[in-house]
Amino acid sequence: MSGIMNGHRETITVGLGGRAYDIHVGHGMLDRAGQYLKPLARGIVPVVTDRHVADLHLERLLQVLTNDGIAARPIVMAPGEASKSFAGLERLCGELLDMEIDRTGLIVALGGGVIGDLTGFAAGVLKRGVGFAQIPTTLLAQVDSSVGGKTAINARQGKNLVGLFHQPRIVLADTALLATLPRRELLAGYAEVAKYGALGDADFFNWLEANGRKALDGDEAAMVRAVAHSCAMKAAIVARDERETGERALLNLGHTFGHALEAATGFSDRLVHGEGVAIGMALAFRLSVTLGLCPGQDADRFIRHLKAVGLPSAIADIPGPRANADELIGHMAHDKKVTDGKLTFILLKGLGQAFVRDKGPLGVVHYSVGVGRHRI
Ligand SMILES: NC(=O)c1ccc[n+]([C@@H]2O[C@H](COP(=O)([O-])OP(=O)(O)OC[C@H]3O[C@@H](n4cnc5c(N)ncnc54)[C@H](O)[C@@H]3O)[C@@H](O)[C@H]2O)c1
């Protein structure tokens, strides 16, 4: 991984040998998309997006690409998780095949994590692998899902169960696109930014305490820095452990609790993914404190920061009926990471010091969700 800073633009290289690629982060990057994509484009370039993003940003991207001599054709999917499905995949692959995309081609994903995951998966299986570019339009996608090559669709049995690793050829993260994102989605993505500070970089966490709010409130330089630093951290981890045989699991901090909370709320708009991750990270900190692994003041500081930016940090913050530990354990038992009733937990020794605890008994969840002993 390497990084170059240039005003409000930063470039990070994901060091994966022959499959290495650059992540360009900047304010106004969309307007330069043609110059970055031109060397990779062959023939017709499909641009896959969803209807919300199409209404806001597609026309400008198509214009920019046309100006640079790229023949782009849009494919507009329905917004929302339902497009990340076998039905969505069938439709997308059909349209791509109708455009006669071949293995030398390039498919562009313009959207949030749903469009990025679906397009990446379609690109990975179509003709056994076509190149694709990510132009992430949500904060979550810019700091997390567009980087690292995990692609997937959902199955009836659960989220992201059908997928493959297929790295993009380039990522263009334009922080200006975040201006149209609803505040709740912006905050949900910020949970993943805070995650990088918590899991491996206390200095970055200090910086977020001072600047995170500014970034969320529209300070361009602060947002570029927050996105670029998050991408650099993810890129470094992915370069060392692309297939999640070890260290990459740290990126799941807060996610197992978060997924269980999402399941307990029926994947409804009572709780969006990033909010589940925020509460999940708070629970991971609390559990680490209860197990005597982490100073209480570090957990308090992290939770204070979530609250300061406006993120939920406790199960009680979720509107509606409150999930209890047994219900959450029931959902966690179906997690991909459970073997023999034992779960891989990501715990913390302090701010910036996450570690993987293999084979933790599911019962310890009682300690962190407030049944009997701890309420947070
Ligand atoms: N591959 C990975 O490593 C990885 C990591 C984390 C999450 N994910 C996946 O990402 C998905 C969630 O991604 P998400 O939170 O970006 O959701 P999303 O793609 O559904 O986007 C959220 C909403 O924001 C809208 N939107 C997108 N960009 C916008 C913009 N600039 N302005 C206004 N509206 C905009 C979308 O239309 C959608 O309604 C999940 O499916 C999750 O499984 C994947």
Side-chain angles (χ1 to χ4, degrees):
M1 189 274 299
S2 64
I4 302 168
M5 278 181 74
N6 174 13
H8 291 181
R9 265 187 273 162
E10 298 192 33
T11 299
I12 298 117
T13 302
V14 186
L16 287 169
R19 289 171 300 114
Y21 57 93
D22 285 341
I23 306 162
H24 300 280
V25 182
H27 192 86
M29 196 55 76
L30 195 77
D31 295 324
R32 288 184 282 276
Q35 103 201 21
Y36 286 110
L37 297 182
K38 182 89 176 160
L40 305 172
R42 302 273 177 286
I44 290 174
V45 173
V47 176
V48 186
T49 190
D50 75 24
R51 206 177 51 250
H52 293 156
V53 180
D55 288 347
L56 295 161
H57 305 293
L58 178 64
E59 206 172 307
R60 192 150 60 90
L61 177 62
L62 294 178
Q63 191 59 58
V64 163
L65 296 181
T66 305
N67 292 348
D68 272 295
I70 296 173
R73 300 274 183 286
I75 300 176
V76 181
M77 307 294 297
E81 200 66 34
S83 286
K84 245 180 81 170
S85 59
F86 283 106
L89 179 72
E90 184 176 15
R91 194 200 129 197
L92 177 55
C93 284
E95 297 217 19
L96 292 168
L97 290 169
D98 285 346
M99 289 183 192
E100 298 183 1
I101 296 308
D102 67 29
R103 291 172 77 179
T104 65
L106 183 78
I107 303 168
V108 174
L110 172 74
V114 163
I115 289 299
D117 278 12
L118 171 68
T119 306
F121 185 66
V125 294
L126 199 79
K127 301 196 173 168
R128 300 198 180 89
V130 178
F132 80 113
Q134 292 268 21
I135 306 186
T137 63
T138 63
L139 183 54
L140 179 137
Q142 295 192 352
V143 298
D144 192 359
S145 61
S146 67
V147 174
K150 278 191 183 176
T151 76
I153 58 169
N154 304 321
R156 188 168 45 79
Q157 290 79 357
K159 275 187 71 175
N160 296 327
L161 292 181
V162 179
L164 46 74
F165 287 93
H166 185 51
Q167 298 291 343
R169 301 197 54 201
I170 190 169
V171 181
L172 302 177
D174 182 352
T175 53
L177 302 180
L178 304 177
T180 57
L181 201 60
R183 182 80 180 180
R184 190 177 180 193
E185 294 289 349
L186 190 68
L187 277 175
Y190 185 84
E192 303 285 354
V193 175
K195 178 187 79 177
Y196 293 106
L199 77 83
D201 192 338
D203 287 344
F204 183 50
F205 186 75
N206 294 339
W207 185 88
L208 288 174
E209 283 182 317
N211 298 285
R213 189 70 202 231
K214 270 199 298 195
L216 288 165
D217 289 343
D219 182 316
E220 290 169 20
M223 186 54 97
V224 170
R225 190 81 273 271
V227 172
H229 193 86
S230 301
C231 287
M233 286 190 68
K234 181 157 184 182
I237 292 172
V238 167
R240 290 192 293 264
D241 178 23
E242 184 183 5
R243 302 238 156 194
E244 199 170 309
T245 53
E247 186 191 1
R248 187 166 179 170
L250 294 176
L251 296 170
N252 296 327
L253 174 64
H255 282 60
T256 301
F257 284 121
H259 287 153
L261 290 167
E262 282 185 89
T265 49
F267 294 97
S268 67
D269 69 358
R270 281 173 60 204
L271 186 76
V272 299
H273 175 76
E275 294 167 343
V277 170
I279 299 171
M281 289 190 289
L283 293 173
F285 262 108
R286 282 291 181 228
L287 179 56
S288 304
V289 173
T290 304
L291 296 174
L293 300 164
C294 174
Q297 67 213 36
D298 283 22
D300 291 343
R301 231 179 106 191
F302 184 74
I303 289 166
R304 238 187 346 264
H305 182 58
L306 294 180
K307 288 182 179 161
V309 297
L311 275 165
S313 57
I315 295 177
D317 293 339
I318 305 170
R322 186 167 168 183
N324 64 39
D326 290 329
E327 201 184 332
L328 292 182
I329 288 171
H331 289 297
M332 284 168 137
H334 295 116
D335 195 280
K336 290 197 280 285
K337 298 173 234 59
V338 171
T339 332
D340 293 338
K342 302 273 171 82
L343 181 61
T344 302
F345 285 98
I346 312 302
L347 298 175
L348 299 116
K349 292 182 182 147
L351 269 169
Q353 298 174 67
F355 67 100
V356 180
R357 163 70 78 82
D358 276 330
K359 299 192 178 153
L362 277 166
V364 299
V365 171
H366 282 278
Y367 290 109
S368 59
V369 299
V371 175
R373 298 186 46 184
H374 277 263
R375 298 186 81 80
I376 67 169

